[in-house]
Amino acid sequence: MTNTTKTMLDQQLYRARLVSSIAATAISLACGTNYVYSAWAPQFADKLHLTTTQSNLIGLAGNLGMYLMGVPVGMYIDRRGTRPPVIGGALLLGLGYFPFKAAYESGTGSVPLLCIFSFLTGFGSCMAFAASVKTSALNWPHHRGTATAFPLAAFGLSAFLFSVSGSVFFPGNTGAFLMLLSIGTFVLTFVGFFFLKVYPHTSYRPVQSRPGLSSSQKLRRTLSEESKAHAGRSYVDEEPGMSPTVYTTPSGTTAPALSGGTDELAEPSSSRDVSPPRRSNDIEAASAEAQEDIADETSSLVSRSSSLPGDVYVESSVDMDRSHRVDIRGWALLKSLDFWQLFCIMAILAGIGLMTINNIGHDVNALWRYYDKTVDDTFLVHRQQMHVSILSVGSFVGRLLSGVGSDFLVKVLKASRVWCLAVASLIFFIAQLCALNILNPHLLGFVSGLSGLGYGFLFGVFPSIVAESFGIHGLSQNWGFMTLSPVVSGNVFNLFYGKVFDKHSIVNGEGERTCPDGIDCYKDAYYMTLGACTIGLCVSLWTIRRQHNQRLKEANRTAED
């Protein structure tokens, strides 16, 4: 193959991968809509005469679908490829949101059935999002940090996109907004399916030609010798769902490139020669894989000057050695005190964030109706959507800051990434203080903004901490266990909020529930989360101290050896 033809093929694949990355980003925009629940939940509950507790149960069902199904979804994607879950996710999102629109229009609905449909929306989001993140990671193995940042950021901005769209095109119309969620999530995901593909990364060498074919006309993809030496083996099974690519040789004949994606190399494990395939799981695990992987994370995704995947391996993190040296998973993980420390931190802080995310709409209603008796439903809907947008943007900023900040801590200050969890605890602490003291609804943006920022700080750095603590080889399954914690804590905090709000609510002659007590409607719930923030901060500092001592012991043992 001539250099000119090789360059043309590289450019074609490069453009195809860019299109696939754009599709992954568009799909991710449809997958974070569970966080827009607060923008329509109060009006939905009023129309169907639901209690706040019942409304929170419906919201929690969506969170269950998102977090609880991460492990099985990741296993399926690793076995069957990334494309089938995208179609499944599109159908579940569309079918999940449409019954809410129908129930709102009719004014009636079964709470158990609504919980099931909410679960389906979370399940569909989990399927499509996991597929989009893994596709981005596979298409750009030398730029995974940059590639996966786009779908991760889009996921965080999903609530902002839909809440702003609803306030602009359907102001005060909850039924139309629910239809927008049903159609918009389906269309974004379904259209993205046709462009979301994993394209092979190839190096070529001539193989023995058959009669009538020159050596330049028969091509086979191989790994470079340096890659083989680094991995300790040639290559493993091809990636499921690989897009077949046909290459045209200069003489006009075609040679199909063997599928196999990125030739995901099995890295040596501490307990066996080859570690099992890693799962692409939730929402935020791929970002840690991106930061800790052996690929070059600092070079730009849109730069064409980097070498082809399979040719060069670059270590890009000063703390990468430990993440590749340790391999703790399964029962060993459950016996680890480090795991339970991090599990508790995740449970506490994620639960605090989810309580505000799911109930900021109720906060808005309670404060505004107490502050100004003349406000109407259209005004309240607009305010709810505004605060959902603030939460979404805050989460996006928090993810960026914690990612950059954790690298600064490790590389410059030689400190632990867990300090970012301590910062998240402090941010949440300030947010709870604001919620307990703000009486003017114009200032409620401090509560939503700080809550989103703390939530983003938490999920932006946590997967990297898991990889660093227990090894990158079992990152997906370990992260799957870690994300079970918000399922427990989210239920506790949200149900407690619902009980507190219902205690102060009254039912008018038309059966609608309202709370006339302003900040007292939810104040007790934030007292509980304020105490939880204190516990989370203490556990974070304990974890930092313990890990510091462990690292010192490991360094001493290494020096002695």
Side-chain angles (χ1 to χ4, degrees):
M1 177 181 293
T2 65
N3 290 335
T4 302
T5 304
K6 178 73 162 56
T7 301
M8 292 176 60
L9 295 178
D10 289 344
Q11 290 175 346
Q12 291 174 2
L13 281 176
Y14 177 86
R15 287 192 294 267
R17 293 186 194 107
L18 279 182
V19 171
S20 182
S21 295
I22 293 172
T25 303
I27 291 171
S28 298
L29 281 172
C31 295
T33 50
N34 278 348
Y35 297 142
V36 83
Y37 180 68
S38 287
W40 57 273
Q43 284 67 40
F44 186 82
D46 289 343
K47 187 69 175 290
L48 273 68
H49 308 309
L50 303 177
T51 67
T52 306
T53 301
Q54 290 173 325
S55 177
N56 274 337
L57 281 173
I58 296 172
L60 286 172
N63 292 335
L64 283 174
M66 173 64 74
Y67 293 109
L68 196 60
M69 302 307 295
V71 173
V73 166
M75 294 175 64
Y76 180 86
I77 288 175
D78 280 342
R79 289 176 180 271
R80 300 294 183 180
T82 59
R83 303 196 75 205
V86 177
I87 284 292
L91 294 174
L92 290 179
L93 283 167
L95 295 176
Y97 278 118
F98 183 78
F100 285 98
K101 191 266 182 184
Y104 182 82
E105 296 294 343
S106 65
T108 59
S110 168
V111 173
L113 279 178
L114 292 174
C115 287
I116 292 174
F117 289 124
S118 181
F119 180 88
L120 292 181
T121 63
F123 189 13
S125 296
C126 179
M127 293 173 67
F129 181 64
S132 66
V133 171
K134 184 174 183 182
T135 299
S136 296
L138 290 175
N139 275 334
W140 307 95
H142 280 192
H143 312 280
R144 288 186 181 179
T146 304
T148 57
F150 286 99
L152 287 169
F155 181 86
L157 288 177
S158 177
F160 172 77
L161 170 70
F162 280 92
S163 61
V164 169
S165 299
S167 63
V168 172
F169 298 107
F170 311 107
N173 191 338
T174 302
F177 182 65
L178 289 170
M179 180 59 75
L180 172 67
L181 287 174
S182 178
I183 296 177
T185 54
F186 173 79
V187 170
L188 279 173
T189 311
F190 183 76
V191 173
F193 164 80
F194 296 99
F195 303 97
L196 188 76
K197 299 178 182 179
V198 178
Y199 291 94
H201 290 266
T202 57
S203 349
Y204 299 97
R205 64 173 172 81
V207 295
Q208 184 177 3
S209 59
R210 293 186 303 211
L213 291 178
S214 66
S215 60
S216 64
Q217 292 172 317
K218 288 296 294 177
L219 306 172
R220 174 178 296 174
R221 176 172 59 81
T222 67
L223 289 174
S224 66
E225 293 303 319
E226 184 179 355
S227 301
K228 293 178 182 178
H230 182 89
R233 58 179 295 180
S234 58
Y235 61 87
V236 295
D237 294 337
E238 63 186 45
E239 181 67 28
M242 175 65 63
S243 173
T245 307
V246 178
Y247 301 93
T248 305
T249 62
S251 61
T253 59
T254 60
L258 295 177
S259 62
T262 55
D263 278 323
E264 290 186 282
L265 301 175
E267 297 155 286
S269 169
S270 59
S271 59
R272 49 194 170 276
D273 292 337
V274 178
S275 62
R278 287 174 280 167
R279 281 200 303 270
S280 176
N281 195 312
D282 183 55
I283 315 193
E284 314 195 17
S287 62
E289 186 175 356
Q291 294 172 4
E292 300 296 335
D293 209 342
I294 54 179
D296 178 10
E297 302 303 335
T298 59
S299 54
S300 170
L301 176 64
V302 296
S303 169
R304 302 185 185 214
S305 60
S306 61
S307 59
L308 285 174
D311 294 337
V312 179
Y313 285 81
V314 181
E315 294 194 358
S316 59
S317 177
V318 294
D319 62 335
M320 182 188 301
D321 291 342
R322 173 178 169 79
S323 68
H324 282 77
R325 187 172 65 250
V326 300
D327 186 10
I328 302 172
R329 64 178 102 178
W331 287 111
L333 180 75
L334 298 180
K335 295 177 182 177
S336 169
L337 178 59
D338 286 339
F339 168 76
W340 291 110
Q341 285 178 320
L342 295 174
F343 189 89
C344 289
I345 296 172
M346 169 65 85
I348 293 170
L349 299 185
I352 293 169
L354 285 173
M355 190 188 83
T356 298
I357 288 171
N358 287 345
N359 293 287
I360 191 64
H362 295 296
D363 292 358
V364 170
N365 278 3
L367 274 192
W368 272 107
R369 283 176 173 164
Y370 183 82
Y371 182 82
D372 185 355
K373 307 296 185 182
T374 63
V375 296
D376 57 11
D377 287 342
T378 301
F379 176 85
L380 291 175
V381 169
H382 175 74
R383 288 289 171 171
Q384 291 161 12
Q385 291 172 341
M386 182 189 75
H387 284 283
V388 169
S389 299
I390 294 173
L391 271 164
S392 181
V393 173
S395 177
F396 169 70
V397 173
R399 292 166 194 259
L400 292 181
L401 290 178
S402 64
V404 175
S406 66
D407 284 342
F408 178 80
L409 285 171
V410 171
K411 297 177 182 179
V412 179
L413 300 182
K414 310 300 180 184
S416 172
R417 295 183 192 271
V418 184
W419 278 108
C420 286
L421 301 183
V423 173
S425 301
L426 290 174
I427 294 173
F428 276 126
F429 187 87
I430 298 172
Q432 311 315 296
L433 288 178
C434 291
L436 289 168
N437 291 280
I438 288 177
L439 299 175
N440 187 338
H442 291 98
L443 302 177
L444 198 58
F446 285 104
V447 178
S448 53
L450 289 172
S451 296
L453 184 65
Y455 198 75
F457 242 93
L458 173 68
F459 277 94
V461 72
F462 216 106
S464 296
I465 295 174
V466 173
E468 187 178 287
S469 300
F470 310 115
I472 199 170
H473 308 297
L475 170 62
S476 293
Q477 58 182 291
N478 293 344
W479 178 248
F481 283 113
M482 199 66 70
T483 54
L484 293 176
S485 58
V487 174
V488 178
S489 61
N491 276 302
V492 173
F493 287 123
N494 277 279
L495 292 178
F496 184 75
Y497 182 100
K499 293 295 184 182
V500 171
F501 203 94
D502 287 337
K503 181 180 178 181
H504 293 271
S505 299
I506 58 174
V507 181
N508 60 23
E510 298 177 355
E512 294 182 354
R513 287 180 173 269
T514 58
C515 183
D517 298 336
I519 193 174
D520 291 332
C521 294
Y522 53 80
K523 198 170 186 178
D524 290 344
Y526 282 99
Y527 275 125
M528 182 181 71
T529 52
L530 183 68
C533 287
T534 305
I535 297 174
L537 178 61
C538 292
V539 177
S540 298
L541 295 176
W542 176 33
T543 303
I544 292 170
R545 180 64 180 172
R546 187 172 182 276
Q547 287 190 355
H548 176 71
N549 293 334
Q550 285 182 325
R551 301 297 186 269
L552 288 178
K553 291 179 182 179
E554 290 179 3
N556 291 335
R557 284 197 298 266
T558 302
E560 292 174 357
D561 294 340

